[in-house]
Amino acid sequence: MRTAKQTFKHGIHPPENKEETNGLPIRQFSFAPLIILPLAQHIGAPSKLVIREGQEVVRGQILAESDGYLSVPLHAPVSGLVKRISNVPTISGKMTTGIYLEPFPSSTQEILDGEPINLDAASPDDILMGIQQAGIVGLGGAAFPTHAKLKIPDGKHCDTLIINGIECEPYLTTDHRVMLEQSDDIFLGIKYLMKATGAKRTIIGIEANKQDAADLLRERLPKNEAISVEVVPVKYPQGAEKMLITSLLGKEVPSRGLPIDVSVVVVNVATTAEIGRLLPHGRGIQERVITITGPGVKKKGNYLIPIGTPLRYVLEQVGVDESVSEVYMGGPMMGVAVANLDISIVKGTSGIVVFNKEQIEQAPQVYPCIKCGACVDACPLSLNPSKLGILAKFEFYEKMAEEYHLMDCFECGSCSYVCPSHIPLVQYFRLSKSIIRKRKVA
Amino acid sequence: MKKQTLHISTSPHLTQGTSVEVIMRNVVIALMPAALFSIYAFGWNAALVLITAVVSCLITEHVLCRLANKRSTVSDWSAIITGLLLGLTLPPIFPLWMTFLGGVFAIGMGKFLFGGLGYNVFNPALVGRAVLQGAFPVAITTWFASFSADRFTTLHSAVLAVPFMEPVIDGTSGATPLSAFKFDGITTEASDLALGLVSGSTGETSSVFILLGGLYLVWRNLMNWRIPVAILATVFVFSGILYWFDPVEYPSPLFMLFSGGLMLGAVFMATDMVASPITSWGVMIYGIIIGALVVIIRLWGGLPEGVMYAILLANAISPHIDRLVRYRVYGTSLKTS
Ligand code: SF4
Ligand code: SF4
């Protein structure tokens, strides 16, 4: 077997900025006076409401059920009263249907469990169903329904399960803390996942800047299980599935293909822990660990926050500078800048990073491409962002897709990060991709 | 919490911090040792040539931007580089009015005609120099001995020649090592060449100071070291083989490396990011082509020096190299199981 001394080509080394929160244990967050839950919390069809306005609900109760295969239910993160069902703001700026829930006092909060999934008795399909019923989506930020990702298509098989503990985004330390504090849940989750996918072995991939987590997991590895922990060099975007597969196994996922094309399934480590914690109780996901950090935050840390907690409430609790001027959901490389503090925490929120006036980069002067080649040597997929940028400017979208593999770009931002001309390359690519997709449909 | 105005930007929200200005400014810094040495070696004559070339490029850039109704781009430092490089390739007693004209052509024809910074196909300084070589073949091959005693007291009359007049050439001109070799078969000590104790263009003579500037840029990670390495290695190996076969007919590889404009060209001209290929492999091929052309032109061509033409030719094919030599895109040429 090849070990993780190898790595993928190219990549970048942004400053990590993890030391401020990686030593802070996960802390429980208080209930906000009002919980706001958009129904669309994942990729795929939004969940379908099963409750009415004015109804009292119990923590863990299903508020909205899955609407089709690529969809998961939404559980009540708190016991309380459904005040209103109406439009709620989302990070994209669009309004969407959601639930306003007023929590009862904390003393009355008890969790409602569902049908437990017995690891030994359950079939792979039972486990997938259990994962779906628990409302689990990828907690690394993609929010893709996990059960759908685990379903092995006909004609394929999974031989290796990779648990992604890379967390290569600067500033974020949620996965790091989860690995240090929830190893039992992780190992139990792995057992469920191995059974569901039929994988013969599991590799937990961890970046070298989390050596303590790797050591701890190695120490606690369950006996008689084909599970190993591999430490890979620190490099962005090591946490991208394709890059991690290349680093750990020396295999390349085919262009436009999925990990299962090389018989691999990759699951985020926090998602794995959640599976291990929820399935034995048939419980639904109600909260998640979020790193709140950045120069603008007073009480930085890793918090267990109920889903639906409004961002404004979160920031009030942790204390932010007067001059807060940029807030991202997710990490600084791929996260989205927030336009409105009235949005709430959703299942895919892995971090909140707050910058104040001094840190935000003034919109720099954009120069023409000087063909320095920095982007070409940064792109982990060996695309040519310089050429793609020029083609985008002239709207040669077909050429971008057909000749220069635009659709492979997963928007990691490495090219924009290094560009001395400050060309908003990723922004161009996002736009070009959406135009190409629209044209395909039309 | 009071109402906040939030700044919205798209990811990534971090950048590496380099910028075009930073790169260009550092290239200017890297050129300083060679420029200062040329003033030390050739006195006020060289100083005036360099200053005139820079001023000419800046004025041309500014005026053309204004004429085109664009924001003036003189502040990005790139015109200063073009001016310095042009000045460094000219003889130290080159008439100032011709120098000025060279700057106008370098920026106007070499850069602006193609659409400005980032769009030029050729290195602008070399375009300017090529025009001058065509227009003033005598003046551009009139050399001046280095370290003359009066270099800081008297100006050579040629420098101040009246515009549109060919200067009167007096007897102080010295042959360059390359022309001495080409036309008279005389070789010069490589150590003298390396230190710049010879005659030649203002900035070409001191390989040591040019390399110093290059090393600074490589250290700052602002220059693709593969280009000079590929060029110099090719020249060394190619001429070394010839020398090994016939040491009388062909000059030593060290002489080839340290004479003429090779160092300046390899370190500062061929590495012009805009006009060179973009991938590591492409850049190697580009360097090898330049190196081979330099040897061929110098040894078999009609001119004593071939660096300028070699680089210009390679500039012309660089977009084609980019088309042919690409990285293999991740996951391609693999079947979907
Ligand atoms: S954003 Fe796309 S093009 Fe840019 S480096 Fe990442 S994968 Fe490559
Ligand atoms: S990094 Fe920017 S300037 Fe450099 S080649 Fe890429 S797009 Fe052009």
Side-chain angles (χ1 to χ4, degrees):
Chain A
M1 195 189 92
R2 303 173 74 171
T3 52
K5 290 290 163 276
Q6 60 204 356
T7 181
F8 60 94
K9 284 205 188 93
H10 308 311
I12 56 172
H13 294 97
E16 297 168 34
N17 289 320
K18 294 186 187 248
E19 43 324 302
E20 294 205 67
T21 54
N22 62 12
L24 302 174
I26 300 168
R27 275 178 289 171
Q28 178 73 47
F29 219 74
S30 56
F31 290 144
L34 189 65
I35 295 288
I36 305 169
L37 291 159
L39 297 183
Q41 301 225 357
H42 51 261
I43 292 170
S47 329
K48 211 166 60 191
L49 275 174
V50 294
I51 43 114
R52 300 164 277 105
E53 277 185 6
Q55 188 175 333
E56 287 188 3
V57 296
V58 185
R59 190 174 181 200
Q61 180 181 339
I62 290 183
L63 303 178
E65 57 186 21
S66 62
D67 187 15
Y69 186 66
L70 201 58
S71 183
V72 297
L74 179 65
H75 299 77
V78 296
S79 300
L81 176 71
V82 176
K83 291 288 277 188
R84 206 147 51 92
I85 293 172
S86 64
N87 275 341
V88 300
T90 65
I91 193 158
S92 69
K94 285 194 203 111
M95 300 293 272
T96 173
T97 311
I99 302 165
Y100 290 83
L101 187 62
E102 197 181 79
F104 295 145
S106 316
S107 55
T108 64
Q109 298 286 338
E110 255 174 75
I111 300 179
L112 184 73
D113 286 350
E115 196 70 34
I117 307 289
N118 182 310
L119 176 63
D120 300 312
S123 71
D125 279 337
D126 293 340
I127 296 173
L128 292 190
M129 184 93 79
I131 290 173
Q132 181 176 20
Q133 276 312 304
I136 294 172
V137 300
L139 299 182
F144 187 85
T146 303
H147 67 280
K149 181 173 179 173
L150 296 173
K151 179 82 193 161
I152 312 297
D154 288 339
K156 313 250 166 170
H157 78 286
C158 167
D159 66 44
T160 307
L161 172 69
I162 291 179
I163 303 300
N164 187 345
I166 297 298
E167 200 168 42
C168 59
E169 273 275 1
Y171 287 101
L172 304 192
T173 55
T174 51
D175 290 351
H176 191 173
R177 292 313 306 181
V178 165
M179 288 190 282
L180 286 173
E181 298 178 39
Q182 304 177 356
S183 54
D184 292 344
D185 293 333
I186 293 171
F187 290 124
L188 188 53
I190 289 173
K191 286 185 193 165
Y192 277 106
L193 287 169
M194 286 179 86
K195 188 156 189 194
T197 56
K200 287 181 282 300
R201 60 162 176 170
T202 296
I203 305 173
I204 305 175
I206 300 176
E207 254 187 342
N209 56 8
K210 295 177 265 294
Q211 188 65 47
D212 54 344
D215 291 343
L216 182 125
L217 290 179
R218 259 191 203 135
E219 212 170 279
R220 301 200 178 166
L221 275 182
K223 306 266 171 316
N224 313 321
E225 300 281 347
I227 305 175
S228 61
V229 176
E230 300 272 8
V231 176
V232 295
V234 179
K235 188 158 90 167
Y236 182 88
Q238 185 83 254
E241 289 189 346
K242 290 182 176 184
M243 302 303 108
L244 184 54
I245 289 171
T246 303
S247 288
L248 291 176
L249 303 173
K251 289 181 183 175
E252 279 188 17
V253 179
S255 164
R256 316 288 306 275
L258 295 170
I260 195 63
D261 294 327
V262 289
S263 308
V264 177
V265 168
V266 184
V267 181
N268 162 269
V269 72
T271 314
T272 308
E274 209 61 25
I275 290 169
R277 183 165 41 248
L278 300 176
L279 262 57
H281 306 283
R283 208 173 269 177
I285 185 166
Q286 295 139 21
E287 50 197 5
R288 63 155 302 154
V289 183
I290 297 174
T291 305
I292 303 176
T293 186
V297 177
K298 299 212 175 77
K299 283 182 263 168
K300 303 181 179 67
N302 294 292
Y303 297 95
L304 193 57
I305 304 184
I307 287 159
T309 305
L311 177 61
R312 187 181 296 280
Y313 177 80
V314 172
L315 294 184
E316 272 164 11
Q317 296 300 304
V318 297
V320 288
D321 286 2
E322 279 296 299
S323 69
V324 154
S325 54
E326 211 165 45
V327 179
Y328 326 120
M329 290 272 212
M333 291 304 294
M334 293 183 78
V336 182
V338 170
N340 177 353
L341 294 180
D342 295 319
I343 60 170
S344 44
I345 303 298
V346 290
K347 291 176 184 176
T349 310
S350 51
I352 297 171
V353 184
V354 181
F355 278 11
N356 46 25
K357 286 238 163 51
E358 293 84 70
Q359 281 89 25
I360 60 166
E361 302 193 8
Q362 291 310 311
Q365 154 118 44
V366 174
Y367 280 98
C369 170
I370 55 166
K371 308 196 178 69
C372 66
C375 57
V376 178
D377 286 325
C379 179
L381 299 179
S382 297
L383 303 176
N384 184 338
S386 154
K387 184 79 186 178
L388 283 168
I390 292 165
L391 290 172
K393 219 169 156 186
F394 292 105
E395 303 184 5
F396 288 140
Y397 301 118
E398 272 73 26
K399 190 165 179 185
M400 290 172 78
E402 279 150 32
E403 214 180 308
Y404 288 90
H405 298 273
L406 171 70
M407 300 320 263
D408 280 319
C409 165
F410 57 85
E411 301 168 21
C412 69
S414 302
C415 49
S416 293
Y417 176 80
V418 295
C419 179
S421 289
H422 305 298
I423 301 170
L425 295 163
V426 189
Q427 215 174 319
Y428 283 175
F429 303 158
R430 263 186 224 126
L431 200 71
S432 308
K433 281 163 78 175
S434 74
I435 291 171
I436 291 166
R437 281 198 204 101
K438 270 191 206 120
R439 284 191 188 167
K440 281 241 171 72
V441 173
Chain B
M1 214 164 86
K2 71 176 174 68
K3 230 179 158 38
Q4 300 281 359
T5 30
L6 290 174
H7 182 262
I8 308 294
S9 62
T10 54
S11 63
H13 305 285
L14 298 174
T15 59
Q16 193 171 40
T18 40
S19 66
V20 169
E21 296 111 280
V22 168
I23 294 177
M24 300 293 172
R25 196 169 56 226
N26 278 289
V27 175
V28 172
I29 292 171
L31 279 167
M32 282 301 124
L36 293 177
F37 179 80
S38 80
I39 293 172
Y40 172 62
F42 298 108
W44 294 128
N45 306 303
L48 281 177
V49 168
L50 289 177
I51 291 168
T52 307
V54 170
V55 168
S56 159
C57 284
L58 284 173
I59 292 178
T60 310
E61 176 113 348
H62 187 75
V63 168
L64 286 176
C65 281
R66 280 296 144 88
L67 287 180
N69 259 329
K70 283 199 275 189
R71 209 180 53 86
S72 176
T73 45
V74 284
S75 61
D76 69 19
W77 295 74
S78 66
I80 301 180
I81 297 177
T82 301
L84 271 175
L85 285 177
L86 173 68
L88 290 173
T89 61
L90 297 175
I93 51 162
F94 200 62
L96 295 183
W97 72 269
M98 294 181 186
T99 307
F100 193 91
L101 213 60
V104 172
F105 277 105
I107 297 290
M109 231 175 94
K111 186 171 171 190
F112 226 78
L113 213 58
F114 290 97
L117 178 70
Y119 299 101
N120 48 299
V121 173
F122 301 101
N123 180 313
L126 286 181
V127 172
R129 151 120 204 169
V131 171
L132 294 179
Q133 175 131 8
F136 312 110
V138 177
I140 213 161
T141 47
T142 300
W143 309 103
F144 181 65
S146 53
F147 300 107
S148 69
D150 59 351
R151 65 193 192 277
F152 285 111
T153 49
T154 29
L155 275 176
H156 196 279
S157 64
V159 172
L160 296 178
V162 186
F164 306 109
M165 297 289 282
E166 279 279 342
V168 187
I169 310 294
D170 59 24
T172 55
S173 325
T176 68
L178 269 177
S179 57
F181 174 79
K182 179 118 199 157
F183 302 119
D184 305 311
I186 304 163
T187 57
T188 313
E189 275 300 316
S191 57
D192 287 354
L193 289 168
L195 293 173
L197 308 176
V198 295
S199 157
S201 301
T202 53
E204 295 179 351
T205 50
S206 171
S207 303
V208 171
F209 288 101
I210 294 166
L211 282 174
L212 207 66
L215 284 176
Y216 169 75
L217 288 180
V218 169
W219 171 65
R220 294 291 309 263
N221 204 8
L222 298 174
M223 190 176 79
N224 195 332
W225 55 268
R226 290 183 180 83
I227 297 175
V229 167
I231 296 175
L232 298 177
T234 306
V235 169
F236 188 81
V237 171
F238 192 1
S239 61
I241 293 171
L242 294 170
Y243 182 68
W244 183 70
F245 272 115
D246 188 349
V248 179
E249 178 74 10
Y250 298 111
S252 81
L254 281 180
F255 175 84
M256 289 289 277
L257 275 192
F258 292 118
S259 59
L262 182 61
M263 278 299 157
L264 189 70
V267 176
F268 285 106
M269 307 266 198
T271 48
D272 180 342
M273 290 166 173
V274 181
S276 60
I278 211 159
T279 56
S280 317
W281 279 110
V283 147
M284 296 291 248
I285 293 172
Y286 168 83
I288 292 169
I289 290 174
I290 294 175
L293 284 172
V294 167
V295 176
I296 292 169
I297 298 174
R298 275 188 183 176
L299 298 184
W300 296 295
L303 299 161
E305 176 58 299
V307 175
M308 176 181 82
Y309 291 110
I311 296 176
L312 286 173
L313 279 169
N315 285 165
I317 58 170
S318 143
H320 303 278
I321 297 178
D322 271 338
R323 204 166 313 140
L324 295 171
V325 185
R326 299 189 204 166
Y327 290 133
R328 183 185 60 82
V329 171
Y330 179 97
T332 55
S333 68
L334 290 171
K335 274 187 248 100
T336 321
S337 77

